[in-house]
């Protein structure tokens, strides 16, 4: 389905849940736990939603998973009491996948709203395996094809409303799927009240005699169908959890805007704003992960791949909803702790969904196990032939693209520069830069018309991942990632012609001149002055002042900077954007040592420096507009998964060398961090698509910088901790035959949370410009 169709589906679902008083009906369910869970199901069936995932041949809507997710997300936003996920999701998915005559008949009953079959699959708490373990069936003596069922199932939803059960069992040779109607002799049911007002059932089967037609499927086909249905259901559950979390954020924002204390709205308090921003960030990353997984799920995936993606998105959306629920209650204060507040319904629904079908930790463990298995099976076939300069990258399969990049790195990248422990200097990395330039690969995100590769978003992420996993050092690249894209969008044709080819060839190495002493994150507080003039050589500016925290300015030969060109104007209105050759007379560069002892930053002094007028980008005094565009590029660059992937590679190497994956605590923490990086990539892709489309970046891009730098910091902290005593060793060291600098990522991430606008400033931007909280 296209974006408009999905949006229409969501709007229709939201409209129904509002008209049907979904929130009020959930409250009534909470007050009367013995109420009929099937109440309201006939209306769901009339809408066609009971069969939303059933094929049209069975009378269903034939929606793809993405369409059904819009309905489940809307259900989450209104805490719908109907068992949509259990029946229209899990049971319908399984029956549709089986496709046998008996399964089709049961599916037709489900679609018509006459039956609510419940999937009974789980046998032990926390076990996500779809393979039956203890519950077994054997041929029934004297009845051809008949079976006897023996065993137990737990947490079967819905409870009392179920008209029967789809039961997975272990046959004599392989898995068997059975239909057990309610009322069958030998079935005992224990109803379990759930925190959200619903019910689950624990089932016991004592020599349950079933006829031949009760066997829906058996063998590998039955097992694969069950695995696929469960994984797809877990993705739909993630969508519902996302909807619950987003609704709690909306309620909290509304409360903070209207609740007053100390004579002002409490939403103006920075501490509360930042808590809301963190809710927003977690939910936005979850949304990006869900969008990416939905796109993948539209393809024909193996059961194993679908399970891995389901665990990834379920873990992310569950964690985001739980974080939102806890924060929402806290920010509502005492009223949030009461049943009278609707927030309590959302809080309890989150708790219920977060526990059913696997919790965060269980899904993190399963994703790690499946991802590791997939990596072990990845093809290592050698790349054959030449490395192309220009090709239709979108048409190249990702596996082939990755194999090509991997082979190029193995053949061309200097081995002594792998996993470099410090920021690479131009003298070290120049030859590699020129190698990429000669291949036409130095600017992967630039349009091909301007000399770049023009990689689509999926290939750009693959490019980043392969370079970071191989340990490729980051070159001085502000020309590639910042000023180049800015000139492509805002420069004159003459400026693009003059500067872009020289960036690609490595002739111009750029640095950024934004920050100034005592200005900090107040970018508009700059005082470096440029006075316009004219002499025999033409129009020019005379620049005086000082820039600071200028990364690797000692290696650069050009600087792009903000200067004040009208001292009488308001702070943001008298600023211009200039390009300057650092070899011009009157410029002095002084390196500054970082915490790591590296001269990564510099002060740059300007004393009557003459800059040609044609180096003005944009309009005179219009630099703030250019600056904001460049800040967008900077924040998406600082929000790139590069640094986190590089540090995660370091952590994985150390863990392998010291056999840390055998420690379940470390393994769990590593699994969580790997998902943090993976979902950062999903969020980054969405913003990269905006840049590639030539559209202005929204203020929400600040969330990327926060998530990326804080993920990087968590990885760096675990790296130091995993090093134990060696975590205090300065500089490079050899552990188990490999070179490491355990402190470098932690120290680097500390700086990453400061430069480019501190994370606190980014949270302020999100609070005011995105969440519209009062000042």
């Amino acid at each position: 389905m296209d974006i408009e169709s999905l949006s229409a589906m969501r709007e229709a679902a939201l409209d129904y849940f509002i008209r049907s008083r979904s929130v009020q009906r959930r409250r009534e369910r909470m007050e009367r736990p013995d109420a009929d869970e099937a109440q309201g199901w006939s209306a769901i069936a009339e809408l066609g939603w009971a069969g939303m995932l059933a094929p049209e041949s069975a009378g269903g809507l034939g929606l793809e998973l993405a369409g059904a997710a819009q309905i489940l997300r809307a259900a989450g936003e209104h805490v719908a009491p109907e068992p949509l996920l259990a029946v229209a999701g899990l049971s319908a998915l399984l029956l549709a996948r089986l496709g046998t005559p008996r399964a089709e008949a049961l599916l037709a009953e489900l679609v018509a709203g006459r039956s609510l079959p419940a999937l009974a699959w789980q046998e032990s708490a926390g076990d996500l395996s779809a393979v039956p373990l203890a519950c077994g069936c054997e041929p029934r003596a004297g009845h051809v094809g008949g079976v006897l069922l023996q065993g137990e199932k737990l947490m079967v939803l819905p409870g009392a409303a179920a008209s029967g059960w789809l039961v997975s069992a272990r046959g004599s040779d392989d898995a068997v799927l059975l239909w057990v109607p309610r009322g069958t002799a030998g079935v005992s049911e224990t109803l379990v009240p759930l925190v959200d007002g619903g019910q689950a059932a624990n089932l016991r089967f004592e020599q349950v005699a079933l006829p031949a037609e009760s066997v829906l499927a058996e063998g590998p086909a039955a097992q694969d169908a069950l695995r696929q249905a469960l994984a797809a259901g877990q993705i739909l559950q993630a969508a519902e959890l996302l909807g619950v979390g987003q609704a709690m954020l909306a309620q909290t924002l509304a409360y903070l805007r209207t609740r007053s204390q100390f004579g002002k709205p409490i939403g103006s308090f920075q501490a509360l704003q930042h808590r809301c921003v963190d809710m927003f960030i977690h939910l936005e990353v979850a949304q990006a992960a869900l969008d990416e997984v939905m796109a993948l799920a539209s393809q024909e995936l193996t059961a194993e791949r679908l399970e891995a993606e389901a665990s990834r998105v379920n873990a992310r959306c569950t964690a985001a909803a739980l974080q939102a629920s806890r924060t929402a209650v806290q920010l509502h204060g005492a009223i949030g702790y009461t049943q009278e507040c609707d927030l309590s319904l959302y809080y309890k629904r989150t708790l219920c969904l977060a526990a059913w079908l696997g919790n965060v930790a269980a899904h993190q463990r399963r994703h790690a196990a499946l991802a590791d298995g997939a990596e072990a099976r990845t093809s290592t076939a050698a790349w054959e032939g030449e490395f192309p300069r220009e090709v239709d990258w979108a048409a190249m399969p990702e596996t082939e693209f990755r194999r090509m990049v991997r082979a190029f790195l193995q053949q061309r990248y200097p081995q002594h520069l792998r996993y470099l422990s410090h920021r690479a200097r131009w003298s070290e990395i120049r030859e590699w830069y020129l190698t990429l330039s000669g291949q036409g690969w130095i600017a992967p995100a630039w349009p091909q018309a301007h000399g770049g590769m023009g990689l689509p978003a999926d290939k750009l992420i693959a490019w980043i991942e392969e370079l970071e996993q191989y340990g490729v050092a980051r070159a001085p690249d502000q020309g590639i990632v910042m000023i180049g894209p800015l000139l492509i969008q805002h420069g004159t044709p003459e400026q693009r012609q003059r500067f872009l080819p020289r960036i690609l060839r490595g002739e111009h190495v750029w640095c950024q001149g934004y920050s100034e002493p005592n200005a900090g994150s107040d970018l508009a507080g700059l005082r470096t002055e440029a006075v316009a003039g004219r002499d025999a050589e033409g129009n020019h500016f005379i620049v005086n002042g000082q820039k600071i925290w200028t990364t690797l300015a000692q290696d650069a030969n050009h600087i792009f900077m903000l200067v004040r060109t009208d001292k009488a104007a308001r702070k943001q209105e008298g600023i211009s954007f200039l390009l300057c050759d650092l070899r011009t007379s009157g410029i002095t560069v002084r390196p500054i040592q970082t915490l790591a002892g590296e001269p990564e930053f510099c002060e740059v002094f300007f004393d009557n420096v003459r800059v040609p007028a044609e180096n003005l980008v944009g309009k005179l005094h219009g630099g703030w507009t250019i600056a904001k565009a460049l800040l967008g590029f900077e924040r998406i660059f600082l929000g790139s998964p590069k640094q986190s992937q590089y540090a995660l590679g370091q952590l994985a190497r150390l863990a392998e060398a010291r056999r840390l994956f055998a420690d379940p605590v470390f393994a769990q923490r590593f699994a969580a961090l790997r998902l943090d990086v993976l979902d950062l990539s999903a969020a980054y892709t969405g913003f990269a698509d905006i840049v590639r489309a030539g559209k202005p970046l929204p203020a929400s891009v600040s969330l990327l910088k926060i998530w990326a730098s804080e993920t990087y910091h968590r990885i760096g902290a675990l790296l130091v901790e995993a090093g134990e005593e060696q975590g205090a060793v300065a500089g490079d060291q050899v552990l188990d035959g490999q070179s490491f600098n355990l402190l470098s990522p932690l120290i680097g991430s500390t700086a990453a949370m400061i430069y480019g606008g501190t994370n606190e400033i980014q949270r302020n931007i999100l609070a005011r410009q995105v969440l519209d909280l009062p000042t």
Side-chain angles (χ1 to χ4, degrees):
M1 297 179 72
D2 58 34
I3 293 175
E4 282 147 5
S5 299
L6 291 174
S7 178
M9 182 71 66
R10 170 174 156 74
E11 290 302 318
L14 288 171
D15 179 66
Y16 169 75
F17 290 124
I18 292 170
R19 286 188 293 103
S20 66
R21 300 172 54 255
S22 184
V23 175
Q24 292 91 327
R25 289 187 295 112
R26 172 66 71 177
R27 179 174 292 285
E28 291 164 6
R29 176 73 57 77
M30 291 287 299
E31 294 169 353
R32 293 182 53 231
D34 59 342
D36 181 11
E37 283 190 282
Q39 184 181 10
W41 191 253
S42 59
I44 293 293
E46 286 175 12
L47 289 166
W49 292 352
M52 58 185 174
L53 290 161
E56 293 180 11
S57 59
L61 297 180
L63 294 183
E64 295 179 354
L65 211 56
Q70 294 301 324
I71 297 175
L72 267 295
R73 183 177 156 206
E77 290 181 65
H78 292 275
V79 285
E82 294 86 5
L84 271 166
L85 177 59
V87 178
L90 289 173
S91 297
L93 281 163
L94 178 61
L95 291 171
R97 283 200 167 272
L98 292 176
T100 59
R102 181 60 176 140
E104 288 177 352
L106 290 169
L107 183 59
E109 291 290 300
L110 185 159
V111 170
R114 294 189 293 268
S115 175
L116 279 79
L119 178 57
W121 67 281
Q122 195 169 22
E123 296 182 7
S124 60
D127 183 11
L128 295 184
S129 172
V131 180
L133 300 175
C135 190
C137 65
E138 58 186 38
R140 184 180 171 195
H143 295 265
V144 177
V147 296
L148 288 173
L149 178 63
Q150 179 75 32
E152 297 180 356
K153 296 289 182 179
L154 57 82
M155 286 299 290
V156 180
L157 274 69
S163 52
W165 302 279
L166 301 168
V167 182
S168 60
R170 175 177 40 80
S172 54
D173 295 320
D174 213 328
V176 180
L177 289 172
L178 305 163
W179 168 243
V180 182
R182 178 175 287 281
T184 301
V187 181
S188 59
E189 178 183 21
T190 302
L191 295 177
V192 179
L194 301 177
V195 69
D196 67 347
Q199 291 178 331
N202 292 337
L203 304 175
R204 182 173 181 80
F205 305 101
E206 290 279 4
Q207 292 295 299
V208 176
L210 298 170
E213 58 265 27
S214 292
V215 179
L216 301 177
E218 52 189 325
Q223 182 172 309
D224 188 70
L226 179 59
R227 291 176 66 185
Q228 293 266 1
L230 281 170
Q234 287 157 350
I235 294 172
L236 292 177
Q237 184 188 48
E240 184 172 354
L241 278 159
L242 179 64
V244 177
Q246 289 173 330
M248 287 187 287
L249 173 60
Q251 291 171 38
T252 303
L253 291 172
Y255 183 76
L256 295 186
R257 293 184 191 116
T258 56
R259 175 81 165 101
S260 292
Q261 284 188 356
F262 309 108
K264 57 170 57 178
I266 62 174
S268 64
F269 302 155
Q270 188 179 72
L272 304 191
Q273 290 182 347
H274 287 192
R275 295 288 296 274
C276 276
V277 166
D278 288 341
M279 290 172 69
F280 169 76
I281 291 172
H282 280 269
L283 290 166
E284 286 295 295
V285 172
Q287 178 74 72
L290 182 64
D291 290 345
E292 186 167 276
V293 169
M294 282 298 174
L296 290 169
S298 66
Q299 308 167 21
E300 285 296 323
L301 302 180
T302 64
E304 187 174 73
R305 176 69 188 279
L306 191 63
E307 285 173 335
E309 296 301 333
S311 279
R312 169 194 165 188
V313 73
N314 197 285
R316 175 61 56 208
C317 289
T318 301
L322 286 169
Q323 191 264 2
S325 69
R326 294 161 186 159
T327 305
V329 169
Q330 177 71 23
L331 297 188
H332 272 77
I335 191 65
Y337 188 64
T338 67
Q339 293 276 21
E340 296 177 10
C341 183
D342 281 348
L343 186 64
S344 65
L345 306 176
Y346 291 83
Y347 180 84
K348 292 182 178 182
R349 182 61 178 157
T350 301
L351 293 178
C352 188
L353 287 171
W356 185 44
L357 301 183
N359 61 22
V360 173
H363 280 293
Q364 287 173 343
R365 287 193 297 270
R366 185 172 77 166
H367 180 272
L370 292 173
D372 289 341
E375 287 173 9
R377 291 187 298 276
T378 299
S379 172
T380 56
W383 175 261
E384 297 179 358
E386 298 295 320
F387 297 108
R389 285 182 58 88
E390 292 185 10
V391 72
D392 184 357
W393 300 112
M396 181 182 285
E398 185 176 321
T399 52
E400 184 180 351
F401 178 79
R402 286 179 180 273
R403 195 157 49 88
M404 177 197 70
V405 174
R406 215 170 292 147
F408 186 82
L409 296 176
Q410 291 167 354
Q411 293 180 30
R412 307 283 182 87
Y413 186 70
Q415 292 298 302
H416 68 280
L417 294 180
R418 290 187 70 187
Y419 294 106
L420 206 60
S421 61
H422 58 274
R423 180 72 179 269
R425 301 292 300 276
W426 179 245
S427 58
E428 295 175 288
I429 208 71
R430 177 178 178 275
E431 291 305 316
W432 168 244
Y433 189 103
L434 296 179
T435 297
L436 285 175
S437 175
Q439 183 61 37
W441 291 3
I442 190 61
W446 287 19
Q448 290 184 344
H450 293 289
M453 293 177 75
L455 291 183
D458 61 331
K459 301 301 190 306
L460 182 59
I461 292 296
W463 170 271
I464 292 171
E465 287 177 351
E466 291 300 330
L467 265 63
E468 300 311 314
Q469 288 168 10
Y470 197 72
V472 174
R474 175 185 163 195
D477 54 6
Q478 298 213 33
I480 296 294
V481 300
M482 295 182 72
I483 191 62
L486 185 97
L487 290 176
I488 289 171
Q489 285 197 15
H490 297 280
T492 65
E494 293 77 13
Q495 288 171 338
R496 288 194 289 269
Q497 184 176 2
R498 181 154 52 107
F499 292 110
L500 295 184
R502 290 177 172 84
I503 294 173
L504 295 174
R505 294 195 299 265
E507 295 173 14
H508 285 182
V509 180
W510 289 82
C511 62
Q512 180 189 50
Y514 269 26
S515 298
E516 295 192 6
N518 300 317
S521 296
D522 180 13
L523 188 57
L526 63 90
R527 291 180 294 178
T528 295
E529 184 180 11
V531 177
R534 179 177 177 80
D535 58 18
E537 297 180 37
N539 294 330
H540 61 269
F541 295 93
I542 299 298
V543 179
N544 285 279
Q546 178 186 357
K547 299 292 181 180
I548 198 168
W549 315 127
T550 309
T551 303
L552 295 180
Q554 69 270 52
D555 287 349
N557 51 35
H558 281 74
I559 186 171
F560 53 92
M561 58 181 175
L562 292 176
V563 293
R564 188 158 297 285
T565 47
D566 185 352
K567 295 169 68 174
R570 291 170 52 189
K571 282 174 63 175
Q572 296 174 349
E573 294 177 357
I575 293 173
S576 297
F577 192 98
L578 284 184
L579 310 178
C580 177
D581 190 328
L582 281 173
R583 295 163 293 194
T584 307
S585 175
I587 297 177
T588 303
V589 177
R590 187 184 76 82
I592 301 172
Q593 297 286 323
T594 68
L595 276 174
E598 297 290 339
E600 185 173 343
F601 302 120
C602 295
E603 289 181 290
V604 183
F605 300 89
F606 298 86
D607 183 9
N608 290 323
V609 176
R610 188 183 187 281
V611 178
E614 60 264 27
N615 285 15
L616 174 71
V617 179
K619 297 178 180 178
L620 182 66
H621 314 317
W624 190 248
T625 300
I626 304 296
K628 288 192 293 183
L630 190 60
L631 284 172
F633 291 129
E634 182 178 37
R635 283 165 191 159
I636 192 173
F637 166 65
L638 296 176
S640 161
K642 280 185 176 184
Q643 290 178 313
S644 294
Q645 286 171 342
Y646 190 93
L648 193 68
Q650 292 278 65
L651 182 58
R653 286 198 309 135
L654 180 67
E656 291 287 353
R658 306 195 70 170
R659 298 172 180 82
L660 295 177
F661 288 120
D663 176 0
V665 174
F666 176 87
Q668 186 77 50
R669 293 172 70 184
F670 184 88
L673 288 170
R674 177 155 62 179
L675 286 177
D676 286 346
V677 176
L678 197 60
D679 295 335
L680 166 63
S681 296
Y684 176 83
T685 298
F687 286 104
D689 282 340
I690 294 173
V691 172
R692 196 166 288 103
K695 299 177 182 177
L697 282 163
S700 56
V701 72
S702 288
L703 74 88
L704 266 188
K705 196 261 185 180
I706 296 170
W707 186 269
S709 59
E710 293 179 3
T711 297
Y712 183 27
H713 190 267
R714 289 192 296 273
I715 296 170
L718 183 55
L719 183 63
V720 171
E721 182 181 328
E724 297 180 317
E725 288 82 1
Q726 280 74 30
V729 175
D732 294 349
Q733 56 183 307
V734 176
L735 300 174
D736 297 309
Q738 297 188 66
S739 177
F740 293 91
N741 187 315
L742 299 184
L743 287 167
S744 180
L746 179 64
I747 294 173
S749 65
T750 302
M753 293 188 289
I754 298 171
Y755 57 62
T758 67
N759 284 11
E760 289 72 24
I761 292 293
Q762 306 303 328
R763 283 181 166 88
N764 289 345
I765 292 170
L766 292 169
R768 290 162 189 170
Q769 297 185 30
V770 178
L771 301 185
D772 194 28
L773 286 168
T775 56

